């Protein structure tokens, strides 16, 4: 049927054909994917749910399809109110091999926020993903993005909230400021003291956290 439609000149994009490539990727149907690409399906057109082909491949964890799309010229989508960057989707789904490939191909992804304004590093710290956070820092993730949202409070305080000495030390080594206030006006040191985390308090004091704020 698909072949007949293509031969009949049915458009692959627009209202009639929009999302055909994304649907094939979601199903993992390599035969149809190759047919659509051979028929010049638009490699970066999103489906009706605002998902790009690259984003769908990242979500499904299909490295083989991802490589085909990249070779065909797929590019990283930019976040919007409805769309998530493919790199962020790969991280959230735990497809770290795909995330690393996308980061290699699109280095700017390291600071590209999701649709709620959360950066990859902020997400990793919030979820206590220590290895992922280190990968992002090594790739140049910013500790303090220029534009902060209500979810983007002080990242060091987030690590304290999660009682993660590993993340706290990692962020301090990356020059996190121990004297910034979180959205609730508490500092990392105040937060750690309230939580009774002696080890984190010790590390913050060693990093010259101000005891007077």
């Amino acid at each position: 049927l698909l072949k007949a439609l293509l031969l009949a000149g049915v458009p692959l994009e627009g209202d009639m054909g929009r999302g055909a490539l994304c649907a094939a990727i979601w199903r993992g149907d390599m035969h149809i994917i190759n047919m659509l690409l051979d028929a010049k399906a638009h490699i970066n057109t999103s489906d009706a749910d605002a998902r790009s082909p690259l984003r769908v491949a990242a979500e499904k964890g299909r490295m083989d399809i991802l490589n085909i799309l990249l070779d065909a010229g797929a590019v990283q989508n930019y976040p919007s109110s409805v769309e998530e960057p493919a790199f962020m989707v790969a991280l959230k789904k735990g497809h770290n091999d795909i995330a690393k490939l996308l980061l290699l191909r699109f280095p700017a992804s390291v600071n590209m926020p999701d649709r709620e304004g959360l950066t990859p590093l902020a997400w990793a710290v919030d979820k206590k993903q220590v290895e992922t956070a280190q990968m992002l820092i090594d790739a140049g993730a910013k500790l303090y993005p220029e534009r902060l949202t209500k979810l983007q409070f002080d990242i060091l305080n987030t690590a304290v909230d999660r009682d993660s000495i590993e993340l706290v030390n990692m962020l301090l080594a990356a020059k996190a400021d121990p004297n910034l206030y979180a959205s609730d006006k508490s500092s990392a040191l105040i937060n750690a003291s309230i939580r009774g985390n002696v080890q984190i308090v010790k590390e913050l004091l060693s990093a010259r956290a101000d005891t007077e704020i």
Side-chain angles (χ1 to χ4, degrees), residues 153-174:
F153 48 86
D154 176 34
I155 197 168
L156 184 59
N157 236 318
T158 305
V160 173
D161 279 337
R162 302 300 176 264
D163 288 313
S164 175
I165 187 64
E166 295 89 353
L167 286 170
V168 167
N169 282 331
M170 182 188 303
L171 293 170
L172 289 174

Side-chain angles (χ1 to χ4, degrees), residues 52-127:
S52 69
L54 198 67
R55 190 258 198 199
V56 175
E59 183 173 358
K60 299 297 286 185
R62 291 297 300 265
M63 178 68 82
D64 54 343
I65 297 175
L66 193 88
N67 278 313
I68 290 172
L69 295 173
L70 291 172
D71 289 343
V75 297
Q76 170 82 286
N77 54 305
Y78 287 88
S80 68
S81 60
V82 294
E83 173 65 298
E84 293 252 287
F87 173 68
M88 193 65 147
V89 170
L91 283 182
K92 290 182 176 182
K93 291 292 183 179
H95 304 313
N96 291 334
D97 54 341
I98 286 179
K100 289 177 182 178
L101 175 59
L102 288 170
L103 188 57
L104 183 65
R105 293 291 292 266
F106 309 110
S109 299
V110 73
N111 291 307
M112 193 177 288
D114 64 12
R115 58 191 174 194
E116 295 179 324
L118 208 63
T119 65
L121 181 57
W123 174 85
V125 171
D126 183 57
K127 300 301 181 183

